[in-house]
Amino acid sequence: MRITDRSRYETTFKCARKRYYEYEYRGRGVVPVGINLDLLFGGGMHRALDELAITEDLATAFTYLMQDIQPIEETTTDGEDTRLELEALGKGLLVTFLKHTLPLIKKEYDIVSTEQEIILPLTDNLMWLTRLDGGLKRKKGGLPSVLEYKTTAQPKALVAEAEYNLQYLMESAALETSLGEYVGGCNLLGLSKGNKYRATPAEQAHGLTGVRRYSPFTYAYWSGDPFTTSQTEYSIKRGTGFTTRVPTWIYPGLDKWLSEDFLFSDEAIQSATDQIFMPPAIPLDRLRFESVKRQAIAVEQQIADGIEYIKNIPDEIEITLDEYFPQNTRNCDNDGGYRKPCPFIPVCHHGESCESDLYRWRDANHPAEEQILTSLEELE
């Protein structure tokens, strides 16, 4: 039996060679050694949001976030611990979700599940693995649907591509297949994590490096002396009289941003709620699902054929890789469109081994995947 999922499938189209190294190499795949800040923050936020959705326990939710971002060892342009910046961002988003967004969701829906794993059969021996952030059931009528959390630095782009997003389609189809009843579609909950900006040329001239992540929850602007608590005001927006940028987690008075009652003004409430958005539900397009299903079966068959050739004729692996896992060299210095180099450049272009100290074995994305991979490794 073979398995696939959204990450595997989409990686194939970014670069089939990357798909091989990351997901198929020796049955498991490898990933670069190191820390991915955005993945850690996103994972921590997902765990925290799941906790809030069920228990509304902010303290426990925030603890989950802090645990997940603990390995980060970076500093901001100002020399501050990046974890403090992310804690401020996460706390602001979680409080806003708890106080403003969650009540709106619960007014219309019952939250019936979180982190729900579903195996969607595409053929008798090909399974699509998916994990729903949440399962909803409309209070009026009982129509089930998917709840999907997305932290993003590009809210407009996230909404614009939602109609065609493969993940939302396959999650809705998986839920419908699992339940055996009509599913309304996917409810997308977007959380803006702000934009990252590197040190300005003027800051670099003074030896400053690193990045800042701008959000109403991370930086504010002072009018007056930020070291003086008396007669000092601040705003979430830079403007006339408010020109001195300061981190929200450091200066006196700004701790309100990190407390449960930080929404203390109309300006703050509006700005905070703007950071979380929930566009209209994305309906399940069943004809499109059947089309994607046919495509996935064909693509995964080619992957399976390539893997079989490599096992049977290992001496011709370079030829097999070229025929079944062709390189997309446009992805080399723009991995996934994120303007960063692909982590497998050393392997593809410089003769590095996948088992060098640059890489480690990939962790499974799903519990079912780990069980299957472990059983296959034991057979070998």
Side-chain angles (χ1 to χ4, degrees):
M1 180 176 69
R2 280 191 58 81
I3 57 174
T4 191
D5 55 23
R6 190 261 307 179
S7 297
R8 282 176 166 80
Y9 186 69
E10 291 187 337
T11 299
T12 308
F13 294 99
K14 295 172 185 175
C15 178
R17 189 68 57 90
K18 182 182 181 184
R19 159 72 186 262
Y20 171 74
Y21 290 133
E22 188 166 350
Y23 293 98
E24 309 298 340
Y25 178 76
R26 294 190 59 179
R28 179 175 285 271
V30 296
V31 294
V33 171
I35 292 173
N36 186 314
L37 184 152
D38 290 307
L39 283 181
L40 291 179
F41 179 73
M45 285 297 296
H46 273 68
R47 287 213 299 156
L49 290 165
D50 287 339
E51 181 68 27
L52 289 182
I54 300 301
T55 69
E56 300 189 10
D57 183 344
L58 182 63
T60 300
F62 191 50
T63 298
Y64 287 151
L65 172 63
M66 294 177 67
Q67 289 173 346
D68 281 22
I69 65 175
Q70 190 59 37
I72 296 171
E73 296 181 348
E74 297 181 17
T75 56
T76 70
T77 305
D78 303 305
E80 298 294 332
D81 190 333
T82 296
R83 287 173 295 191
L84 297 177
E85 184 183 68
L86 292 175
E87 286 174 14
L89 173 62
K91 187 67 173 290
L93 289 170
L94 293 174
V95 171
T96 303
F97 174 77
L98 178 63
K99 286 183 168 290
H100 292 272
T101 311
L102 188 59
L104 295 177
I105 294 174
K106 289 189 172 182
K107 185 177 180 179
E108 292 190 40
Y109 299 95
D110 290 320
I111 299 176
V112 296
S113 66
T114 60
E115 293 297 303
Q116 181 180 356
E117 292 277 347
I118 300 178
I119 300 176
L120 175 64
L122 300 184
T123 68
D124 290 341
N125 61 355
L126 177 61
M127 306 294 149
W128 185 288
L129 306 184
T130 188
R131 178 171 54 243
L132 281 57
D133 289 334
L136 303 177
K137 181 164 285 191
R138 188 177 288 276
K139 291 181 182 293
K140 185 177 181 180
L143 182 68
S145 60
V146 173
L147 175 61
E148 178 65 29
Y149 306 128
K150 284 293 182 184
T151 54
T152 180
Q154 299 178 319
K156 291 183 179 179
L158 184 69
V159 173
E161 61 91 38
E163 180 182 356
Y164 313 106
N165 185 284
L166 181 67
Q167 181 178 1
Y168 312 151
L169 174 74
M170 299 305 283
E171 287 182 353
S172 297
L175 182 61
E176 185 164 280
T177 302
S178 173
L179 294 176
E181 60 180 293
Y182 188 90
V183 165
C186 180
N187 294 276
L188 172 64
L189 181 70
L191 301 100
S192 176
K193 58 184 179 181
N195 289 301
K196 291 189 293 186
Y197 291 94
R198 297 192 177 279
T200 65
E203 290 172 329
Q204 292 176 25
H206 287 83
L208 299 179
T209 59
V211 298
R212 297 186 188 93
R213 187 181 292 276
Y214 288 106
S215 163
F217 302 124
T218 55
Y219 294 94
Y221 298 90
W222 286 95
S223 173
D225 183 357
F227 294 99
T228 304
T229 57
S230 62
Q231 297 181 345
T232 301
E233 297 180 353
Y234 58 93
S235 170
I236 56 176
K237 296 179 181 179
R238 187 183 183 94
T240 304
F242 296 92
T243 56
T244 304
R245 179 186 57 244
V246 291
T248 58
W249 63 91
I250 292 179
Y251 291 92
L254 284 176
D255 57 332
K256 291 182 179 179
W257 286 93
L258 305 182
S259 67
E260 288 195 44
D261 57 354
F262 78 100
L263 300 179
F264 55 88
S265 70
D266 291 342
E267 179 193 26
I269 291 173
Q270 183 61 57
S271 181
T273 53
D274 283 348
Q275 308 310 304
I276 300 181
F277 52 94
M278 198 167 183
I282 306 153
L284 172 57
D285 185 336
R286 292 163 184 81
L287 289 178
R288 180 167 170 257
F289 165 67
E290 292 299 329
S291 174
V292 169
K293 180 179 175 180
R294 290 190 293 270
Q295 295 174 60
I297 292 170
V299 167
E300 295 302 322
Q301 184 59 57
Q302 176 161 323
I303 298 291
D305 291 344
I307 297 300
E308 192 66 22
Y309 270 108
I310 290 172
K311 288 181 179 178
N312 294 333
I313 317 177
D315 292 342
E316 296 184 4
I317 185 171
E318 294 301 327
I319 296 174
T320 305
L321 286 175
D322 289 342
E323 292 178 346
Y324 288 89
F325 301 93
Q327 293 171 313
N328 173 16
T329 54
R330 295 192 65 179
N331 191 70
C332 293
D333 61 356
N334 188 29
D335 188 28
Y338 289 106
R339 294 181 293 181
K340 61 182 181 180
C342 172
F344 294 104
I345 284 179
V347 177
C348 290
H349 300 292
H350 306 305
E352 190 65 69
S353 168
C354 283
E355 297 182 42
S356 74
D357 56 8
L358 295 178
Y359 305 97
R360 62 175 177 81
W361 296 109
R362 182 183 60 83
D363 297 324
N365 293 339
H366 305 271
E369 177 189 5
E370 183 58 44
Q371 294 174 4
I372 293 170
L373 291 177
T374 300
S375 63
L376 292 175
E377 289 167 354
E378 290 174 350
L379 288 174
E380 293 181 357

